[in-house]
Amino acid sequence: MIIVMETGATPKQVNDVVSRIKTLGLDAHLSEGEERTIVGVVGAPIPPTLDDEFESHGGVQQVVRITKKYKLTGWDFHPQKTVIRVRDVEIGGDEVTVIAGPCSVESEDQTVSTARAVKAAGATILRGGAHKPRTSPYEFRGLGRRGLEILATAREETGMPIITEVMTPADIDQVGQFTDIFQIGARNAQNYLLLEEVGKAGKPVMIKRGLSMMIEEWLLAAEYVMAQGNPDVILCERGVRTFEPLTRNTLDVSAVPVVRGMSHLPIFVDPSHAAGKRALVGSLALAGVAAGADGLMIEVHPNPDQALSDGAQSLTFDQFAELTPRIAAVAGAVGRSLCATGSLLGV
Ligand code: PEP
Ligand code: MN
């Protein structure tokens, strides 16, 4: 249910509505737009008499029952696009944000050199895995805490905010001491306890789309985080599993406009895990931006052939530097620009 307040509703009238919702054991989520405030009510059961009660409440313009399963993630509850600020970087605004870095943090030199290279080429957020979900238990599974320390060093050296994956509730405190954004990996996108716990951690959360996740299920994963009071969720399309073996996954470009039509949350595209092959990453990145993505997440490595994970899909520094002006050009063609890097790129 949403309660649309009148344009001139007073703070007291809004507070009274919120208190009444809370006395019923329900949750109230405020969305304060430029013109009016919307109070979103979630929880169950919502008493059938509540519509009439609130319709006659001072300052209330309209009460609307929302029948969609996803609520906080949808436009009805929040009619403005969500814009998330992480240090100096804005996500979900007019500019396209590029996140780049290695699949795994392997060493300080590897991570800091990559951070410098991707920053010089126009990326504004550094990625790198310290806790890695691997298909085989015998593959490199990340440096853990040491990897997080290296990411923090790279942030100090470059000023770039960092994003890294958290795989289990037990690691949230540790990862949260270092990261600016939590990444929930595709394999954990329906790990509801993890989503709830990370929702309490007070930092933005990016949720990769699960390997065979329907878009509504993905929005409901975001709903788990938002229901904990955390509005800063980013969705990231990274390809879904199909019958096609020539790419690692199939990038669902259509997910970008579909999500945009359903949700106010920023939507990113990860062309690296979709493609699985370096040669395809550029095309998929451009397709994502053309489709309206708010940002990209791209894997880059100083020496991809020696990478401990995902080398085949990682770009070299030079390849990444050649790609970013093309991303900026496509962003320009769809009325966006590349995040705060126009002067670097000469565009
Ligand atoms: C990653 O970002 O390195 C990763 C493991 O991604 P995904 O969860 O999308 O497979
Ligand atoms: Mn990877």
Side-chain angles (χ1 to χ4, degrees), residues 102-104 127 132 248 273 299 309-310 313:
C103 178
S104 298
R127 64 148 288 143
K132 294 300 302 176
R248 181 176 179 184
H273 290 85
E299 288 187 336
S309 61
D310 288 350
Q313 68 196 34

Short mmCIF file of all heavy atoms in Angstrom, two decimals, residues 102-104 127 132 248 273 299 309-310 313, ligand 2:
data_model
loop_
_atom_site.label_atom_id
_atom_site.label_comp_id
_atom_site.label_asym_id
_atom_site.label_seq_id
_atom_site.Cartn_x
_atom_site.Cartn_y
_atom_site.Cartn_z
N PRO A 102 40.47 -5.99 -11.49
CA PRO A 102 40.67 -7.42 -11.71
C PRO A 102 39.52 -8.26 -11.17
O PRO A 102 38.79 -7.81 -10.28
CB PRO A 102 41.95 -7.70 -10.93
CG PRO A 102 41.99 -6.65 -9.86
CD PRO A 102 41.33 -5.43 -10.44
N CYS A 103 39.37 -9.45 -11.71
CA CYS A 103 38.39 -10.38 -11.12
C CYS A 103 38.78 -10.60 -9.67
O CYS A 103 38.01 -10.32 -8.77
CB CYS A 103 38.40 -11.70 -11.90
SG CYS A 103 37.27 -12.90 -11.18
N SER A 104 40.02 -11.07 -9.44
CA SER A 104 40.50 -11.32 -8.08
C SER A 104 41.65 -10.39 -7.74
O SER A 104 42.49 -10.09 -8.59
CB SER A 104 41.06 -12.74 -7.95
OG SER A 104 40.08 -13.71 -8.19
N ARG A 127 36.98 -2.40 -8.79
CA ARG A 127 36.46 -3.69 -8.36
C ARG A 127 37.64 -4.64 -8.10
O ARG A 127 38.75 -4.43 -8.60
CB ARG A 127 35.53 -4.32 -9.39
CG ARG A 127 36.16 -4.68 -10.73
CD ARG A 127 35.50 -5.92 -11.38
NE ARG A 127 35.86 -7.14 -10.69
CZ ARG A 127 35.05 -8.16 -10.49
NH1 ARG A 127 33.84 -8.15 -10.97
NH2 ARG A 127 35.47 -9.24 -9.82
N LYS A 132 36.28 -15.20 -3.19
CA LYS A 132 35.83 -15.57 -4.53
C LYS A 132 34.99 -16.85 -4.53
O LYS A 132 35.44 -17.89 -4.05
CB LYS A 132 37.05 -15.84 -5.43
CG LYS A 132 37.91 -14.63 -5.71
CD LYS A 132 37.17 -13.51 -6.43
CE LYS A 132 36.56 -13.94 -7.75
NZ LYS A 132 35.76 -12.83 -8.35
N ARG A 248 30.08 -17.39 -22.50
CA ARG A 248 29.99 -17.99 -21.16
C ARG A 248 28.55 -17.95 -20.65
O ARG A 248 28.05 -18.89 -20.03
CB ARG A 248 30.93 -17.22 -20.23
CG ARG A 248 30.97 -17.75 -18.83
CD ARG A 248 31.99 -17.01 -17.98
NE ARG A 248 32.00 -17.52 -16.63
CZ ARG A 248 32.74 -17.01 -15.65
NH1 ARG A 248 33.54 -15.98 -15.88
NH2 ARG A 248 32.69 -17.52 -14.45
N HIS A 273 31.53 -11.08 -17.48
CA HIS A 273 31.01 -12.40 -17.11
C HIS A 273 29.97 -12.90 -18.11
O HIS A 273 29.75 -14.10 -18.23
CB HIS A 273 30.46 -12.39 -15.69
CG HIS A 273 31.54 -12.24 -14.66
ND1 HIS A 273 32.02 -11.01 -14.30
CD2 HIS A 273 32.29 -13.16 -14.00
CE1 HIS A 273 33.02 -11.18 -13.42
NE2 HIS A 273 33.19 -12.47 -13.23
N GLU A 299 36.10 -6.34 -16.19
CA GLU A 299 37.31 -6.92 -15.62
C GLU A 299 38.55 -6.54 -16.45
O GLU A 299 38.55 -6.69 -17.68
CB GLU A 299 37.17 -8.43 -15.50
CG GLU A 299 36.19 -8.79 -14.39
CD GLU A 299 36.08 -10.26 -14.06
OE1 GLU A 299 36.38 -11.10 -14.93
OE2 GLU A 299 35.65 -10.57 -12.94
N SER A 309 42.02 -15.84 -11.93
CA SER A 309 40.61 -16.13 -12.24
C SER A 309 40.17 -15.23 -13.40
O SER A 309 40.59 -14.09 -13.51
CB SER A 309 39.71 -15.90 -11.02
OG SER A 309 39.75 -14.56 -10.58
N ASP A 310 39.33 -15.80 -14.24
CA ASP A 310 38.67 -15.04 -15.32
C ASP A 310 39.61 -14.27 -16.26
O ASP A 310 39.24 -13.23 -16.81
CB ASP A 310 37.61 -14.09 -14.73
CG ASP A 310 36.39 -14.86 -14.22
OD1 ASP A 310 36.28 -16.08 -14.50
OD2 ASP A 310 35.54 -14.25 -13.56
N GLN A 313 38.42 -13.46 -19.98
CA GLN A 313 37.46 -12.38 -20.23
C GLN A 313 37.99 -11.02 -19.76
O GLN A 313 37.28 -10.02 -19.86
CB GLN A 313 36.13 -12.68 -19.52
CG GLN A 313 36.23 -12.65 -18.00
CD GLN A 313 35.06 -13.31 -17.32
OE1 GLN A 313 34.50 -14.29 -17.82
NE2 GLN A 313 34.65 -12.78 -16.17
MN MN B 2 35.23 -12.65 -12.35
#
